[in-house]
Amino acid sequence: KLGADIALSAKDYSADVLRKLNQGRLADLVIVSTGAMPAITAAFQSVERGGTILFFAPVDRGAQVNLPFNDLFWRTEITLTSSYAGSPGDYKEALELIGSGRIRVKDLITHRLSLSEIGSGFKLVTQARDSIKVIIYPQR
């Protein structure tokens, strides 16, 4: 409904499954939007030669990742990058895409809460189970 060709539960995911669904290839771009270590490990296993892993969420303080340095950089030339925000130009373009209807975000909003419910909203987000996007309406 929102444009994905395939959706898998993390429980069912592996790099082998990705290869089967993607004509024998891994992903050219992997976006890690959680600080969960299993997702980070899966990203390293899921990126194709010459691909990129974009980290879009911080991990717990003190967390460490063991990298197979030679395999990732010399054999496969993987690019690692991070982003946690966009530039003013990025925001402008995103708002134009949303405003024009080319990008549909309405269906991504799972919860619409009033300002008095903000504590519940933060709890939903931190639990990361039943929410995708939580919107707070201060005027409610």
Side-chain angles (χ1 to χ4, degrees):
K1 181 177 178 181
L2 297 171
D5 295 319
I6 299 164
L8 297 170
S9 166
K11 295 181 292 193
D12 302 325
Y13 178 79
S14 72
D16 290 334
V17 169
L18 176 59
R19 282 190 188 279
K20 286 178 188 170
L21 295 170
N22 196 30
Q23 301 169 349
R25 290 185 45 85
L26 296 173
D28 293 323
L29 172 63
V30 177
I31 300 173
V32 183
S33 57
T34 175
M37 294 309 286
I40 293 169
T41 300
F44 286 113
Q45 297 166 352
S46 301
V47 66
E48 189 58 74
R49 296 182 126 212
T52 299
I53 301 174
L54 168 64
F55 297 98
F56 194 69
V59 298
D60 291 334
R61 185 177 299 266
Q64 295 185 12
V65 177
N66 291 324
L67 297 175
F69 191 84
N70 285 338
D71 288 343
L72 285 176
F73 297 106
W74 301 116
R75 188 182 63 78
T76 58
E77 297 185 358
I78 301 301
T79 298
L80 304 179
T81 189
S82 64
S83 175
Y84 196 68
S87 69
D90 292 336
Y91 290 124
K92 181 178 185 274
E93 182 178 357
L95 289 171
E96 288 170 358
L97 289 168
I98 292 167
S100 71
R102 289 187 58 206
I103 304 291
R104 296 187 330 248
V105 295
K106 188 176 182 179
D107 294 335
L108 294 172
I109 301 169
T110 55
H111 297 79
R112 293 168 174 82
L113 306 173
S114 68
L115 190 57
S116 66
E117 298 172 293
I118 197 167
S120 298
F122 278 109
K123 186 174 181 180
L124 283 164
V125 170
T126 58
Q127 289 175 341
R129 284 188 223 130
D130 301 319
S131 66
I132 297 176
K133 286 293 179 190
V134 176
I135 302 296
I136 304 297
Y137 290 97
Q139 66 278 17
R140 275 194 186 168

